[in-house]
Amino acid sequence: MYGYNPIMLLASGETLWEKLTAWYQNSLLCELLDYLVNTYFSVEFGAYDHIVLGGNANATARNAILAAMFGVVLAAILTAYYRNGLGGFVRRLLKEEIHSPEAAKTLYELGYFRSAMIRKELSKGSALRMVVRCRELEEDAQKASASSKKPTKIDFTAAHFYIPEELRHRADIRFDKKGSGPLPVLLTAVVAIVVAAVLCRLLPDILQFADNLIHMLSP
């Protein structure tokens, strides 16, 4: 099998993304996904006497259900990411009872200096920064407010981190490892897929029931 050559792509006038799109559209994977979507995730509304639907109602309803399904799965993945990937750092601070600027420790001392993920999350306003404080950054912020200067960035070779006592309970709950492993994520995905498929099948019946109810109650 030949690899993609940038020179050949330029000569043909097609980008790598266009090549991949063309491959996907003619692949078995595309046929399989189309089959699954059309078989289990299709919405077929009927003709209703009292409920008016647009011409794209079937596709709109299906897309909304699929979007909600993907949203639930993505939320489960992000929760597992935060509680496992970032939770270990938080739980280390909690275990060592580092709850004041005086007791704060560096990433070296906590064993997380080599974690690019932890450094990235600490350097921006993420969920981790909602409970973890940097002693040096707070000191710089106080100096900046007095001199009208911007706070400096975190120097991870010397910065010390801690969880304030008042945020201890929140950090413990938010980054609790229970219920965030691969199995709960997989179960959430399965349940979301099943519920989405069932909803796609039942939604036309639900509208039919609502239409019949309106007919019965109308004068």
Side-chain angles (χ1 to χ4, degrees), residues 28-61:
L28 180 61
L29 177 61
C30 180
E31 294 181 5
L32 177 61
L33 291 178
D34 286 343
Y35 170 78
L36 292 175
V37 169
N38 294 329
T39 303
Y40 300 102
F41 299 100
S42 62
V43 179
E44 298 293 339
F45 291 116
Y48 307 108
D49 297 328
H50 303 281
I51 299 177
V52 180
L53 300 175
N56 296 324
N58 293 339
T60 300

Coordinates of all heavy atoms in Angstrom, one line a residue, residues 28-61:
L28 N -15.9 0.3 3.6 CA -16.9 -0.6 4.3 C -17.3 0.0 5.6 O -18.5 -0.2 6.1 CB -16.2 -2.0 4.6 CG -17.0 -3.0 5.3 CD1 -18.3 -3.4 4.5 CD2 -16.2 -4.3 5.6
L29 N -16.4 0.8 6.3 CA -16.8 1.4 7.5 C -18.0 2.4 7.3 O -18.9 2.4 8.1 CB -15.6 2.2 8.1 CG -15.8 3.0 9.4 CD1 -16.3 2.1 10.5 CD2 -14.6 3.8 9.7
C30 N -17.9 3.1 6.2 CA -19.0 4.1 5.9 C -20.3 3.3 5.7 O -21.4 3.7 6.2 CB -18.7 4.9 4.7 SG -19.9 6.1 4.2
E31 N -20.3 2.2 5.0 CA -21.5 1.4 4.7 C -22.0 0.8 6.0 O -23.2 0.8 6.2 CB -21.1 0.3 3.7 CG -20.7 0.7 2.3 CD -20.4 -0.4 1.4 OE1 -20.6 -1.6 1.8 OE2 -20.0 -0.2 0.3
L32 N -21.1 0.4 6.9 CA -21.6 -0.2 8.2 C -22.2 0.9 9.0 O -23.3 0.6 9.6 CB -20.4 -0.8 8.9 CG -20.6 -1.4 10.3 CD1 -21.7 -2.5 10.2 CD2 -19.4 -1.8 11.0
L33 N -21.6 2.1 9.1 CA -22.2 3.1 9.9 C -23.6 3.6 9.3 O -24.5 3.8 10.1 CB -21.3 4.3 10.0 CG -20.0 4.1 10.8 CD1 -19.1 5.3 10.8 CD2 -20.3 3.7 12.3
D34 N -23.6 3.7 8.0 CA -24.9 4.0 7.4 C -26.0 3.0 7.7 O -27.1 3.4 7.9 CB -24.7 4.2 5.8 CG -23.9 5.4 5.5 OD1 -23.9 6.3 6.3 OD2 -23.4 5.5 4.3
Y35 N -25.6 1.7 7.6 CA -26.6 0.7 7.9 C -27.1 0.8 9.4 O -28.3 0.7 9.6 CB -25.9 -0.7 7.7 CG -26.8 -1.8 8.2 CD1 -27.9 -2.3 7.5 CD2 -26.5 -2.4 9.5 CE1 -28.7 -3.3 8.0 CE2 -27.2 -3.5 9.9 CZ -28.3 -3.9 9.2 OH -29.1 -4.9 9.7
L36 N -26.1 1.0 10.3 CA -26.5 1.1 11.7 C -27.4 2.3 11.9 O -28.4 2.2 12.7 CB -25.3 1.2 12.6 CG -24.4 -0.1 12.7 CD1 -23.2 0.2 13.5 CD2 -25.2 -1.2 13.3
V37 N -27.1 3.5 11.3 CA -27.8 4.7 11.5 C -29.2 4.5 10.9 O -30.3 4.9 11.5 CB -27.1 5.9 10.9 CG1 -28.0 7.1 10.8 CG2 -25.9 6.2 11.7
N38 N -29.3 4.0 9.7 CA -30.6 3.8 9.0 C -31.5 2.8 9.7 O -32.7 2.8 9.6 CB -30.4 3.5 7.5 CG -29.7 4.6 6.8 OD1 -29.9 5.8 7.1 ND2 -28.9 4.3 5.8
T39 N -30.8 1.8 10.3 CA -31.6 0.7 10.9 C -32.1 1.0 12.3 O -33.2 0.7 12.7 CB -30.8 -0.6 10.9 OG1 -30.4 -0.9 9.6 CG2 -31.6 -1.8 11.4
Y40 N -31.2 1.5 13.1 CA -31.5 1.7 14.5 C -31.6 3.2 14.9 O -32.2 3.4 16.0 CB -30.3 1.1 15.4 CG -30.1 -0.4 15.1 CD1 -29.1 -0.8 14.3 CD2 -31.0 -1.3 15.7 CE1 -28.9 -2.2 14.1 CE2 -30.8 -2.7 15.5 CZ -29.8 -3.1 14.7 OH -29.6 -4.5 14.5
F41 N -31.2 4.1 14.1 CA -31.3 5.5 14.5 C -32.0 6.4 13.5 O -31.7 7.5 13.2 CB -29.9 6.1 14.7 CG -29.1 5.4 15.8 CD1 -28.2 4.4 15.5 CD2 -29.4 5.6 17.2 CE1 -27.5 3.8 16.5 CE2 -28.7 5.0 18.2 CZ -27.7 4.0 17.8
S42 N -33.0 5.8 12.8 CA -33.8 6.5 11.9 C -35.2 6.9 12.5 O -35.7 6.2 13.3 CB -34.1 5.7 10.6 OG -34.8 4.5 10.9
V43 N -35.7 8.1 12.2 CA -36.9 8.6 12.7 C -37.9 8.7 11.5 O -37.5 9.5 10.5 CB -36.8 9.9 13.4 CG1 -38.1 10.4 13.9 CG2 -35.8 9.7 14.6
E44 N -39.0 8.1 11.5 CA -40.0 8.2 10.5 C -41.3 8.7 11.0 O -42.1 7.9 11.5 CB -40.2 6.8 9.8 CG -38.9 6.3 9.1 CD -38.5 7.1 7.9 OE1 -39.3 7.8 7.4 OE2 -37.3 7.1 7.6
F45 N -41.6 10.0 10.9 CA -42.8 10.5 11.4 C -43.9 10.2 10.4 O -43.7 10.1 9.2 CB -42.7 12.0 11.6 CG -41.8 12.4 12.7 CD1 -40.7 13.1 12.5 CD2 -42.2 12.1 14.0 CE1 -39.9 13.5 13.6 CE2 -41.4 12.4 15.1 CZ -40.2 13.2 14.9
G46 N -45.1 10.0 10.9 CA -46.3 9.8 10.0 C -47.0 11.1 9.7 O -46.5 12.2 10.0
A47 N -48.2 11.0 9.2 CA -49.1 12.1 9.0 C -50.0 12.3 10.1 O -50.8 11.5 10.5 CB -49.9 11.9 7.7
Y48 N -49.9 13.5 10.7 CA -50.7 13.8 11.9 C -51.8 14.9 11.6 O -51.5 15.8 10.8 CB -49.8 14.3 13.0 CG -48.7 13.4 13.3 CD1 -47.4 13.7 12.9 CD2 -48.9 12.2 13.9 CE1 -46.3 12.9 13.2 CE2 -47.8 11.3 14.2 CZ -46.5 11.6 13.8 OH -45.5 10.8 14.1
D49 N -52.9 14.8 12.2 CA -54.0 15.7 12.0 C -53.8 17.0 12.7 O -54.3 18.1 12.2 CB -55.3 15.1 12.4 CG -55.7 13.8 11.6 OD1 -55.3 13.8 10.4 OD2 -56.3 12.9 12.2
H50 N -53.2 17.0 13.8 CA -53.2 18.2 14.6 C -51.7 18.7 14.9 O -51.5 19.7 15.6 CB -53.9 18.0 16.0 CG -55.3 17.6 15.8 ND1 -56.3 18.4 15.5 CD2 -55.9 16.3 15.9 CE1 -57.5 17.8 15.5 NE2 -57.2 16.5 15.7
I51 N -50.7 18.0 14.5 CA -49.3 18.3 14.7 C -48.7 18.5 13.3 O -48.7 17.6 12.5 CB -48.6 17.2 15.5 CG1 -49.2 17.0 16.8 CG2 -47.1 17.6 15.6 CD1 -48.6 15.9 17.6
V52 N -48.2 19.7 13.1 CA -47.5 20.1 11.9 C -46.0 20.0 12.0 O -45.4 20.6 12.9 CB -48.0 21.5 11.4 CG1 -47.3 21.9 10.1 CG2 -49.5 21.6 11.3
L53 N -45.4 19.2 11.1 CA -43.9 19.1 11.1 C -43.4 19.6 9.8 O -44.0 19.5 8.8 CB -43.6 17.6 11.3 CG -44.0 16.9 12.6 CD1 -43.7 15.4 12.6 CD2 -43.4 17.6 13.8
G54 N -42.1 20.1 9.9 CA -41.5 20.6 8.7 C -41.0 19.4 7.8 O -41.0 18.2 8.2
G55 N -40.5 19.8 6.6 CA -40.1 18.8 5.7 C -38.8 18.0 6.1 O -38.6 16.9 5.7
N56 N -38.0 18.6 7.0 CA -36.8 18.0 7.5 C -37.0 17.5 8.9 O -36.0 17.3 9.6 CB -35.6 18.9 7.4 CG -35.3 19.4 6.0 OD1 -35.4 18.6 5.1 ND2 -34.9 20.6 5.8
A57 N -38.2 17.2 9.3 CA -38.5 16.8 10.7 C -37.8 15.5 11.1 O -37.2 15.4 12.2 CB -40.0 16.7 11.0
N58 N -37.8 14.5 10.1 CA -37.1 13.2 10.4 C -35.7 13.4 10.7 O -35.1 12.9 11.7 CB -37.3 12.3 9.3 CG -38.8 11.9 9.1 OD1 -39.6 12.0 10.0 ND2 -39.1 11.5 7.9
A59 N -35.0 14.1 9.8 CA -33.5 14.3 10.0 C -33.2 15.1 11.2 O -32.2 14.9 11.9 CB -32.9 14.9 8.7
T60 N -34.0 16.2 11.4 CA -33.8 17.1 12.6 C -33.9 16.3 13.9 O -33.1 16.5 14.8 CB -34.7 18.2 12.5 OG1 -34.6 19.0 11.3 CG2 -34.5 19.2 13.7
A61 N -35.0 15.5 14.0 CA -35.2 14.8 15.2 C -34.1 13.7 15.5 O -33.5 13.6 16.6 CB -36.5 14.1 15.2

